[in-house]
Amino acid sequence: MDKLVIEGGVPLTGGIDISGSKNAALPILFASILLSEPARIANVPDLRDIHTTLKLLNVLGCACAYDDHEVRTQPGKLLPEAPYDLVRTMRASVLCLGPLLARIGQARVALPGGCAIGARPVDQHLKGLECMGASFQLEEGYILGRCRRLTGARITFDMPTVGGTENLLMAAVLAEGETLLENAAREPEVVDLANFLRACGANIEGHGTDVIRIQGVAALHGADYAVMPDRIEAGTFLVAAGITGGELLLRHCPFDALEAVIRKLCHMGMEITQTPQGVLARCAGPLHGTDVKTQPYPGFPTDMQAQIMALMCLADGASVVEESIFENRYMHVLELVRLGAQIKVSGHTAMVRGVQGLTGAPVMASDLRASASLVLAGLAARGRTEVRRIYHLDRGYEHIEHKLTAVGARIRREQE
Protein backbone atom coordinates (compact mmCIF):
# COMPACT_ATOMS: atom_id res chain seq x y z
CA MET A 1 0.00 0.00 0.00
CA ASP A 2 1.34 3.45 -0.92
CA LYS A 3 1.45 6.73 0.97
CA LEU A 4 2.33 10.30 0.01
CA VAL A 5 5.07 12.07 1.92
CA ILE A 6 4.90 15.86 1.79
CA GLU A 7 7.37 18.49 3.03
CA GLY A 8 5.07 21.50 3.12
CA GLY A 9 5.41 25.25 3.17
CA VAL A 10 6.38 25.82 -0.49
CA PRO A 11 4.32 28.20 -2.67
CA LEU A 12 3.32 26.41 -5.86
CA THR A 13 4.08 28.17 -9.14
CA GLY A 14 3.78 27.06 -12.76
CA GLY A 15 1.31 25.39 -15.10
CA ILE A 16 -0.85 22.27 -14.74
CA ASP A 17 -2.81 20.44 -17.44
CA ILE A 18 -6.26 19.41 -16.23
CA SER A 19 -7.12 15.79 -17.08
CA GLY A 20 -10.35 14.49 -18.53
CA SER A 21 -13.25 14.16 -16.12
CA LYS A 22 -13.60 10.82 -14.38
CA ASN A 23 -17.25 11.52 -13.55
CA ALA A 24 -17.99 12.27 -17.21
CA ALA A 25 -15.86 9.48 -18.67
CA LEU A 26 -17.45 6.67 -16.64
CA PRO A 27 -21.06 7.09 -17.87
CA ILE A 28 -19.81 7.75 -21.42
CA LEU A 29 -17.90 4.46 -21.32
CA PHE A 30 -20.97 2.61 -20.03
CA ALA A 31 -22.98 4.23 -22.83
CA SER A 32 -20.84 2.30 -25.32
CA ILE A 33 -22.99 -0.74 -24.39
CA LEU A 34 -25.77 0.99 -26.34
CA LEU A 35 -23.81 1.33 -29.59
CA SER A 36 -24.06 -0.93 -32.61
CA GLU A 37 -20.82 0.45 -34.10
CA PRO A 38 -17.28 1.14 -32.81
CA ALA A 39 -16.49 4.41 -31.04
CA ARG A 40 -13.36 6.37 -30.15
CA ILE A 41 -13.43 8.23 -26.84
CA ALA A 42 -10.54 10.65 -26.21
CA ASN A 43 -9.31 12.58 -23.13
CA VAL A 44 -10.05 9.62 -20.82
CA PRO A 45 -8.04 9.92 -17.58
CA ASP A 46 -5.63 7.17 -16.52
CA LEU A 47 -7.36 6.19 -13.26
CA ARG A 48 -8.17 3.03 -11.34
CA ASP A 49 -11.94 3.47 -11.76
CA ILE A 50 -11.51 3.87 -15.52
CA HIS A 51 -9.57 0.61 -15.83
CA THR A 52 -12.10 -1.19 -13.59
CA THR A 53 -14.85 0.02 -15.93
CA LEU A 54 -12.97 -1.23 -18.99
CA LYS A 55 -12.56 -4.66 -17.37
CA LEU A 56 -16.28 -4.72 -16.63
CA LEU A 57 -17.20 -3.70 -20.19
CA ASN A 58 -15.03 -6.48 -21.59
CA VAL A 59 -16.71 -8.99 -19.25
CA LEU A 60 -20.11 -7.75 -20.46
CA GLY A 61 -19.11 -8.33 -24.08
CA CYS A 62 -18.36 -4.77 -25.13
CA ALA A 63 -14.73 -5.02 -26.21
CA CYS A 64 -12.62 -1.99 -25.38
CA ALA A 65 -8.97 -1.04 -24.98
CA TYR A 66 -7.13 1.91 -23.42
CA ASP A 67 -4.11 3.57 -25.00
CA ASP A 68 -2.69 7.01 -24.17
CA HIS A 69 -5.91 8.55 -22.82
CA GLU A 70 -8.00 7.08 -25.63
CA VAL A 71 -10.52 4.24 -25.50
CA ARG A 72 -11.73 2.38 -28.56
CA THR A 73 -14.87 0.30 -28.17
CA GLN A 74 -16.13 -2.54 -30.35
CA PRO A 75 -19.68 -3.90 -29.97
CA GLY A 76 -20.07 -7.64 -29.46
CA LYS A 77 -22.45 -10.23 -28.02
CA LEU A 78 -23.58 -8.74 -24.71
CA LEU A 79 -23.85 -10.73 -21.49
CA PRO A 80 -26.12 -9.56 -18.64
CA GLU A 81 -23.99 -10.08 -15.52
CA ALA A 82 -21.80 -7.46 -13.81
CA PRO A 83 -19.94 -9.55 -11.21
CA TYR A 84 -19.41 -8.49 -7.61
CA ASP A 85 -15.60 -8.71 -7.77
CA LEU A 86 -15.54 -5.78 -10.23
CA VAL A 87 -18.58 -3.85 -9.03
CA ARG A 88 -17.71 -3.83 -5.31
CA THR A 89 -14.96 -1.22 -5.67
CA MET A 90 -16.85 1.33 -7.76
CA ARG A 91 -20.16 3.05 -7.24
CA ALA A 92 -20.57 4.02 -10.91
CA SER A 93 -20.81 0.38 -12.00
CA VAL A 94 -24.59 0.50 -11.50
CA LEU A 95 -24.63 2.63 -14.66
CA CYS A 96 -24.52 -0.53 -16.77
CA LEU A 97 -28.05 -1.38 -15.61
CA GLY A 98 -30.00 0.95 -17.92
CA PRO A 99 -27.90 0.26 -21.05
CA LEU A 100 -28.13 -3.53 -20.59
CA LEU A 101 -31.90 -3.44 -20.18
CA ALA A 102 -32.20 -1.20 -23.25
CA ARG A 103 -30.03 -3.46 -25.42
CA ILE A 104 -30.78 -7.04 -24.32
CA GLY A 105 -33.72 -6.76 -21.91
CA GLN A 106 -31.96 -8.25 -18.91
CA ALA A 107 -29.28 -7.38 -16.37
CA ARG A 108 -27.79 -8.97 -13.27
CA VAL A 109 -25.74 -6.30 -11.50
CA ALA A 110 -24.14 -6.63 -8.08
CA LEU A 111 -25.09 -3.91 -5.63
CA PRO A 112 -22.28 -1.35 -5.96
CA GLY A 113 -19.58 -0.27 -3.54
CA GLY A 114 -17.29 2.78 -3.49
CA CYS A 115 -16.30 5.48 -1.00
CA ALA A 116 -17.76 5.31 2.52
CA ILE A 117 -19.30 8.79 2.49
CA GLY A 118 -22.86 7.84 3.29
CA ALA A 119 -25.86 6.11 1.77
CA ARG A 120 -26.27 6.50 -1.97
CA PRO A 121 -29.26 4.26 -2.72
CA VAL A 122 -30.21 3.20 -6.22
CA ASP A 123 -33.95 3.30 -5.58
CA GLN A 124 -34.40 6.29 -7.92
CA HIS A 125 -32.72 4.30 -10.72
CA LEU A 126 -35.00 1.29 -10.18
CA LYS A 127 -38.24 3.27 -9.80
CA GLY A 128 -37.57 5.09 -13.05
CA LEU A 129 -36.75 1.92 -14.96
CA GLU A 130 -39.90 0.27 -13.58
CA CYS A 131 -41.90 3.17 -15.03
CA MET A 132 -40.34 2.22 -18.39
CA GLY A 133 -41.45 -1.40 -18.10
CA ALA A 134 -38.63 -3.17 -16.25
CA SER A 135 -39.17 -5.45 -13.26
CA PHE A 136 -36.59 -6.11 -10.54
CA GLN A 137 -35.69 -8.63 -7.86
CA LEU A 138 -32.94 -8.46 -5.26
CA GLU A 139 -31.17 -11.79 -4.91
CA GLU A 140 -27.98 -12.58 -2.98
CA GLY A 141 -26.63 -9.04 -3.31
CA TYR A 142 -27.54 -8.70 -6.99
CA ILE A 143 -30.13 -6.57 -8.77
CA LEU A 144 -31.94 -8.75 -11.33
CA GLY A 145 -33.74 -6.73 -13.99
CA ARG A 146 -35.86 -7.85 -16.95
CA CYS A 147 -38.03 -6.26 -19.60
CA ARG A 148 -39.42 -7.08 -23.05
CA ARG A 149 -38.64 -3.64 -24.39
CA LEU A 150 -38.35 -0.42 -22.47
CA THR A 151 -41.03 2.13 -23.32
CA GLY A 152 -40.99 5.87 -22.85
CA ALA A 153 -42.46 7.33 -19.65
CA ARG A 154 -42.78 10.53 -17.66
CA ILE A 155 -40.44 10.19 -14.70
CA THR A 156 -40.09 12.71 -11.87
CA PHE A 157 -37.11 12.19 -9.55
CA ASP A 158 -37.75 12.66 -5.81
CA MET A 159 -34.53 14.67 -5.74
CA PRO A 160 -31.92 15.49 -8.41
CA THR A 161 -29.69 12.43 -8.77
CA VAL A 162 -26.71 12.43 -11.12
CA GLY A 163 -26.41 8.65 -11.40
CA GLY A 164 -30.17 8.17 -11.70
CA THR A 165 -30.43 10.81 -14.42
CA GLU A 166 -27.55 9.20 -16.33
CA ASN A 167 -28.92 5.66 -16.03
CA LEU A 168 -32.40 6.62 -17.22
CA LEU A 169 -31.04 8.90 -19.94
CA MET A 170 -29.08 5.96 -21.37
CA ALA A 171 -32.04 3.61 -21.05
CA ALA A 172 -34.40 6.08 -22.73
CA VAL A 173 -32.39 6.65 -25.91
CA LEU A 174 -33.31 3.16 -27.20
CA ALA A 175 -36.75 2.95 -25.55
CA GLU A 176 -39.91 3.01 -27.61
CA GLY A 177 -41.49 6.46 -27.67
CA GLU A 178 -40.81 9.58 -25.61
CA THR A 179 -39.31 9.78 -22.13
CA LEU A 180 -39.51 12.90 -19.98
CA LEU A 181 -37.09 13.19 -17.04
CA GLU A 182 -38.28 15.83 -14.57
CA ASN A 183 -36.25 17.21 -11.64
CA ALA A 184 -33.24 15.84 -13.51
CA ALA A 185 -29.65 16.53 -12.49
CA ARG A 186 -28.07 19.49 -14.31
CA GLU A 187 -24.40 18.67 -13.71
CA PRO A 188 -21.94 19.30 -16.58
CA GLU A 189 -21.10 15.58 -16.59
CA VAL A 190 -24.75 14.77 -17.38
CA VAL A 191 -24.58 17.28 -20.24
CA ASP A 192 -21.38 15.65 -21.50
CA LEU A 193 -23.05 12.22 -21.53
CA ALA A 194 -26.02 13.65 -23.44
CA ASN A 195 -23.70 15.29 -25.96
CA PHE A 196 -21.92 11.97 -26.52
CA LEU A 197 -25.22 10.15 -27.04
CA ARG A 198 -26.38 12.87 -29.46
CA ALA A 199 -23.11 12.45 -31.38
CA CYS A 200 -24.07 8.76 -31.70
CA GLY A 201 -27.55 9.55 -33.07
CA ALA A 202 -29.69 9.93 -29.93
CA ASN A 203 -32.57 12.42 -29.89
CA ILE A 204 -32.18 14.41 -26.64
CA GLU A 205 -33.32 17.91 -25.68
CA GLY A 206 -33.12 19.92 -22.47
CA HIS A 207 -29.89 18.48 -21.03
CA GLY A 208 -28.42 21.04 -18.66
CA THR A 209 -31.92 21.90 -17.41
CA ASP A 210 -34.10 20.05 -14.92
CA VAL A 211 -36.37 18.67 -17.68
CA ILE A 212 -34.81 16.35 -20.28
CA ARG A 213 -36.85 15.07 -23.22
CA ILE A 214 -35.71 11.93 -25.08
CA GLN A 215 -37.23 10.44 -28.23
CA GLY A 216 -36.19 6.81 -28.53
CA VAL A 217 -34.37 5.66 -31.68
CA ALA A 218 -33.91 2.20 -33.16
CA ALA A 219 -30.10 2.11 -32.90
CA LEU A 220 -27.05 4.24 -32.12
CA HIS A 221 -23.98 4.46 -34.34
CA GLY A 222 -20.38 5.14 -33.29
CA ALA A 223 -18.64 8.49 -32.90
CA ASP A 224 -15.37 10.21 -32.10
CA TYR A 225 -15.76 12.14 -28.86
CA ALA A 226 -13.53 13.91 -26.31
CA VAL A 227 -14.46 13.84 -22.61
CA MET A 228 -14.77 17.22 -20.86
CA PRO A 229 -12.01 18.36 -18.45
CA ASP A 230 -12.37 17.43 -14.78
CA ARG A 231 -13.90 20.34 -12.87
CA ILE A 232 -13.19 18.76 -9.46
CA GLU A 233 -9.51 18.20 -10.25
CA ALA A 234 -9.36 21.79 -11.50
CA GLY A 235 -11.07 23.06 -8.35
CA THR A 236 -8.60 21.11 -6.21
CA PHE A 237 -5.64 22.78 -7.93
CA LEU A 238 -7.29 26.20 -7.56
CA VAL A 239 -7.31 25.56 -3.81
CA ALA A 240 -3.68 24.37 -4.01
CA ALA A 241 -2.68 27.79 -5.35
CA GLY A 242 -4.53 29.52 -2.51
CA ILE A 243 -3.47 27.31 0.38
CA THR A 244 0.24 27.56 -0.51
CA GLY A 245 0.18 31.28 -1.37
CA GLY A 246 1.27 30.44 -4.91
CA GLU A 247 0.27 31.11 -8.50
CA LEU A 248 -0.89 28.40 -10.88
CA LEU A 249 -1.99 28.44 -14.51
CA LEU A 250 -4.54 25.70 -15.15
CA ARG A 251 -4.71 24.67 -18.79
CA HIS A 252 -7.96 23.13 -20.10
CA CYS A 253 -9.77 24.34 -16.97
CA PRO A 254 -13.61 24.29 -17.29
CA PHE A 255 -14.07 27.82 -15.93
CA ASP A 256 -17.84 28.11 -16.45
CA ALA A 257 -18.54 24.74 -14.78
CA LEU A 258 -16.66 25.98 -11.68
CA GLU A 259 -18.59 29.21 -11.21
CA ALA A 260 -19.83 28.41 -7.68
CA VAL A 261 -16.36 27.29 -6.54
CA ILE A 262 -14.55 30.25 -8.09
CA ARG A 263 -17.03 32.69 -6.57
CA LYS A 264 -16.33 31.33 -3.05
CA LEU A 265 -12.55 31.25 -3.54
CA CYS A 266 -12.54 34.85 -4.73
CA HIS A 267 -14.69 35.81 -1.73
CA MET A 268 -11.98 34.29 0.46
CA GLY A 269 -9.35 36.54 -1.15
CA MET A 270 -8.01 34.62 -4.13
CA GLU A 271 -7.63 36.13 -7.60
CA ILE A 272 -8.86 33.83 -10.38
CA THR A 273 -8.97 35.05 -13.98
CA GLN A 274 -9.35 33.61 -17.46
CA THR A 275 -6.44 34.17 -19.84
CA PRO A 276 -5.81 32.95 -23.41
CA GLN A 277 -3.43 30.33 -21.94
CA GLY A 278 -5.78 29.07 -19.22
CA VAL A 279 -7.17 29.99 -15.81
CA LEU A 280 -4.72 31.88 -13.59
CA ALA A 281 -5.14 31.44 -9.83
CA ARG A 282 -3.13 33.30 -7.21
CA CYS A 283 -3.27 34.30 -3.59
CA ALA A 284 -1.39 37.53 -2.94
CA GLY A 285 -2.90 38.55 0.41
CA PRO A 286 -4.59 37.14 3.52
CA LEU A 287 -7.49 34.72 3.19
CA HIS A 288 -10.86 35.39 4.79
CA GLY A 289 -13.44 32.96 6.11
CA THR A 290 -16.63 32.25 4.20
CA ASP A 291 -19.74 30.07 4.45
CA VAL A 292 -20.48 27.17 2.11
CA LYS A 293 -23.52 24.94 1.66
CA THR A 294 -23.18 22.02 -0.72
CA GLN A 295 -25.99 21.76 -3.26
CA PRO A 296 -26.73 20.08 -6.59
CA TYR A 297 -25.35 21.89 -9.65
CA PRO A 298 -25.19 24.84 -10.20
CA GLY A 299 -24.66 25.10 -6.43
CA PHE A 300 -21.40 24.43 -4.60
CA PRO A 301 -20.39 20.79 -5.31
CA THR A 302 -20.14 18.30 -2.47
CA ASP A 303 -17.01 16.95 -4.17
CA MET A 304 -15.23 20.26 -3.33
CA GLN A 305 -16.37 20.49 0.30
CA ALA A 306 -13.33 18.79 1.85
CA GLN A 307 -10.88 20.80 -0.26
CA ILE A 308 -12.32 24.23 0.56
CA MET A 309 -12.45 23.23 4.23
CA ALA A 310 -8.68 22.72 4.13
CA LEU A 311 -8.36 26.30 2.82
CA MET A 312 -10.72 27.60 5.52
CA CYS A 313 -8.34 26.19 8.15
CA LEU A 314 -5.85 28.94 7.28
CA ALA A 315 -8.33 31.78 6.63
CA ASP A 316 -8.88 34.68 9.03
CA GLY A 317 -12.00 34.39 11.15
CA ALA A 318 -14.68 31.73 11.16
CA SER A 319 -16.15 29.70 8.31
CA VAL A 320 -19.23 27.49 8.29
CA VAL A 321 -19.73 24.44 6.08
CA GLU A 322 -23.13 22.81 5.69
CA GLU A 323 -23.11 19.42 3.94
CA SER A 324 -26.58 18.82 2.48
CA ILE A 325 -25.81 15.99 0.01
CA PHE A 326 -24.14 13.16 1.99
CA GLU A 327 -24.64 12.52 5.70
CA ASN A 328 -21.20 11.07 6.42
CA ARG A 329 -18.80 13.35 4.58
CA TYR A 330 -16.83 14.89 7.46
CA MET A 331 -14.42 12.02 8.04
CA HIS A 332 -11.51 14.26 7.00
CA VAL A 333 -12.20 16.63 9.92
CA LEU A 334 -10.40 14.64 12.61
CA GLU A 335 -7.38 14.23 10.33
CA LEU A 336 -7.25 17.99 9.62
CA VAL A 337 -7.41 18.54 13.40
CA ARG A 338 -4.33 16.31 13.73
CA LEU A 339 -2.53 18.87 11.54
CA GLY A 340 -3.56 21.72 13.87
CA ALA A 341 -6.91 22.81 12.43
CA GLN A 342 -9.72 24.05 14.68
CA ILE A 343 -12.97 22.46 13.48
CA LYS A 344 -16.13 21.48 15.35
CA VAL A 345 -18.87 19.40 13.77
CA SER A 346 -22.51 19.41 14.80
CA GLY A 347 -24.77 17.25 12.66
CA HIS A 348 -24.46 18.38 9.04
CA THR A 349 -22.60 21.60 9.96
CA ALA A 350 -18.89 22.21 10.55
CA MET A 351 -17.51 25.38 12.15
CA VAL A 352 -13.92 26.18 11.11
CA ARG A 353 -11.81 28.78 12.90
CA GLY A 354 -8.71 29.79 11.00
CA VAL A 355 -5.29 29.22 12.57
CA GLN A 356 -1.93 30.83 11.87
CA GLY A 357 -0.41 27.64 10.50
CA LEU A 358 -0.67 23.86 10.22
CA THR A 359 1.96 21.35 11.34
CA GLY A 360 2.79 18.12 9.54
CA ALA A 361 1.67 14.78 10.97
CA PRO A 362 0.68 11.28 9.80
CA VAL A 363 -2.94 11.27 8.58
CA MET A 364 -5.30 8.66 7.15
CA ALA A 365 -7.47 9.14 4.06
CA SER A 366 -11.04 7.86 4.32
CA ASP A 367 -12.40 8.62 0.84
CA LEU A 368 -11.45 10.22 -2.46
CA ARG A 369 -12.08 13.91 -1.72
CA ALA A 370 -10.93 13.59 1.90
CA SER A 371 -7.60 12.38 0.48
CA ALA A 372 -7.34 15.54 -1.62
CA SER A 373 -8.05 17.80 1.36
CA LEU A 374 -5.27 16.13 3.37
CA VAL A 375 -2.80 16.54 0.51
CA LEU A 376 -3.73 20.23 0.27
CA ALA A 377 -3.32 20.72 4.02
CA GLY A 378 0.02 18.90 3.88
CA LEU A 379 1.25 21.22 1.13
CA ALA A 380 0.66 24.18 3.45
CA ALA A 381 1.79 22.59 6.72
CA ARG A 382 5.20 23.12 8.30
CA GLY A 383 7.25 19.96 8.36
CA ARG A 384 6.45 16.46 7.14
CA THR A 385 2.98 15.10 6.45
CA GLU A 386 2.29 11.49 5.54
CA VAL A 387 -1.04 10.78 3.84
CA ARG A 388 -1.83 7.09 4.12
CA ARG A 389 -4.36 4.91 2.26
CA ILE A 390 -4.02 6.97 -0.91
CA TYR A 391 -5.61 4.26 -3.04
CA HIS A 392 -8.70 6.43 -2.58
CA LEU A 393 -6.83 9.33 -4.19
CA ASP A 394 -5.77 7.19 -7.16
CA ARG A 395 -9.45 6.62 -7.97
CA GLY A 396 -9.96 10.25 -8.96
CA TYR A 397 -6.66 12.10 -9.50
CA GLU A 398 -4.33 11.24 -12.33
CA HIS A 399 -0.69 11.13 -11.14
CA ILE A 400 -1.31 13.96 -8.67
CA GLU A 401 2.17 13.82 -7.16
CA HIS A 402 3.75 14.28 -10.61
CA LYS A 403 1.59 17.31 -11.36
CA LEU A 404 2.35 18.85 -7.98
CA THR A 405 6.09 18.15 -8.18
CA ALA A 406 6.21 19.95 -11.54
CA VAL A 407 4.97 23.17 -9.88
CA GLY A 408 7.36 23.04 -6.93
CA ALA A 409 5.76 20.78 -4.35
CA ARG A 410 8.03 18.54 -2.28
CA ILE A 411 5.93 15.42 -2.48
CA ARG A 412 6.76 11.79 -3.19
CA ARG A 413 5.08 8.42 -3.20
CA GLU A 414 6.43 5.71 -0.89
CA GLN A 415 5.35 2.24 0.15
CA GLU A 416 3.98 2.04 3.66
Side-chain angles (χ1 to χ4, degrees):
M1 195 176 295
D2 290 350
K3 64 182 178 182
L4 287 179
V5 179
I6 306 167
E7 299 288 343
V10 179
L12 303 184
T13 57
I16 293 178
D17 291 317
I18 301 303
S19 298
S21 168
K22 180 196 83 160
N23 288 341
L26 292 176
I28 287 172
L29 290 172
F30 281 116
S32 63
I33 294 170
L34 298 164
L35 308 184
S36 56
E37 295 177 3
R40 185 182 73 88
I41 305 165
N43 202 35
V44 180
D46 186 9
L47 298 170
R48 179 178 297 183
D49 278 7
I50 295 293
H51 293 289
T52 300
T53 298
L54 298 179
K55 289 179 185 177
L56 178 54
L57 287 173
N58 279 303
V59 166
L60 293 172
C62 180
C64 52
Y66 185 95
D67 182 38
D68 191 22
H69 299 96
E70 180 178 293
V71 173
R72 292 182 180 268
T73 68
Q74 180 73 43
K77 180 177 173 54
L78 291 171
L79 302 175
E81 180 159 338
Y84 174 72
D85 283 347
L86 286 173
V87 169
R88 66 185 174 85
T89 64
M90 190 180 64
R91 184 75 194 174
S93 53
V94 74
L95 292 177
C96 67
L97 186 60
L100 285 173
L101 288 171
R103 278 298 304 276
I104 61 174
Q106 58 179 320
R108 187 173 189 267
V109 181
L111 287 167
C115 286
I117 60 172
R120 289 185 281 181
V122 297
D123 60 309
Q124 295 290 298
H125 305 233
L126 303 186
K127 285 165 64 176
L129 289 167
E130 284 176 340
C131 290
M132 300 175 71
S135 61
F136 294 99
Q137 294 176 277
L138 294 181
E139 180 182 287
E140 299 178 343
Y142 279 80
I143 302 168
L144 277 67
R146 290 187 178 277
C147 65
R148 289 189 176 179
R149 183 181 177 187
L150 295 177
T151 56
R154 181 175 180 177
I155 299 163
T156 302
F157 294 106
D158 294 341
M159 75 277 302
T161 161
V162 174
T165 301
E166 292 169 340
N167 227 338
L168 294 178
L169 177 61
M170 289 187 283
V173 295
L174 294 182
E176 184 176 3
E178 179 179 276
T179 299
L180 200 64
L181 302 180
E182 298 178 323
N183 200 23
R186 299 165 58 188
E187 271 71 4
E189 295 80 11
V190 174
V191 176
D192 210 33
L193 170 63
N195 287 337
F196 170 73
L197 291 169
R198 282 164 56 92
C200 297
N203 187 342
I204 303 169
E205 296 177 351
H207 43 301
T209 76
D210 59 359
V211 178
I212 305 175
R213 189 181 301 272
I214 308 106
Q215 296 286 348
V217 297
L220 294 180
H221 53 72
D224 283 0
Y225 192 82
V227 174
M228 68 173 285
D230 195 313
R231 64 188 173 108
I232 304 302
E233 184 196 44
T236 301
F237 287 128
L238 291 176
V239 174
I243 203 167
T244 65
E247 181 174 308
L248 293 176
L249 178 70
L250 305 186
R251 294 180 287 266
H252 316 299
C253 175
F255 186 88
D256 292 340
L258 281 165
E259 180 182 355
V261 173
I262 290 172
R263 185 167 60 246
K264 286 296 181 182
L265 294 179
C266 289
H267 185 257
M268 294 182 72
M270 290 188 64
E271 297 175 12
I272 301 173
T273 54
Q274 280 185 297
T275 75
Q277 292 75 38
V279 174
L280 186 64
R282 60 192 297 267
C283 187
L287 293 165
H288 313 287
T290 192
D291 296 343
V292 164
K293 179 180 180 179
T294 62
Q295 294 177 310
Y297 190 85
F300 192 93
T302 181
D303 279 354
M304 280 298 301
Q305 177 255 106
Q307 297 93 309
I308 202 169
M309 186 182 289
L311 189 64
M312 292 170 172
C313 294
L314 294 173
D316 293 338
S319 300
V320 176
V321 177
E322 184 179 348
E323 175 56 62
S324 68
I325 308 296
F326 294 123
E327 74 277 7
N328 195 25
R329 204 163 200 178
Y330 284 141
M331 290 187 288
H332 49 284
V333 167
L334 291 177
E335 302 304 302
L336 290 172
V337 169
R338 286 176 53 80
L339 298 173
Q342 291 188 12
I343 310 171
K344 291 185 177 180
V345 175
S346 177
H348 297 292
T349 302
M351 172 74 78
V352 185
R353 291 201 174 274
V355 297
Q356 289 297 308
L358 300 173
T359 304
V363 290
M364 191 83 72
S366 56
D367 61 71
L368 170 54
R369 306 307 172 185
S371 307
S373 76
L374 298 178
V375 170
L376 291 168
L379 292 171
R382 297 185 301 272
R384 174 185 170 114
T385 299
E386 292 185 5
V387 182
R388 297 172 181 173
R389 288 172 59 179
I390 60 166
Y391 59 85
H392 292 294
L393 194 73
D394 293 337
R395 291 183 51 237
Y397 291 90
E398 183 176 20
H399 311 307
I400 190 171
E401 71 273 22
H402 297 158
K403 292 188 177 185
L404 289 171
T405 298
V407 293
R410 296 179 296 191
I411 180 171
R412 64 184 183 275
R413 182 180 292 252
E414 291 184 358
Q415 283 197 322
E416 289 191 28

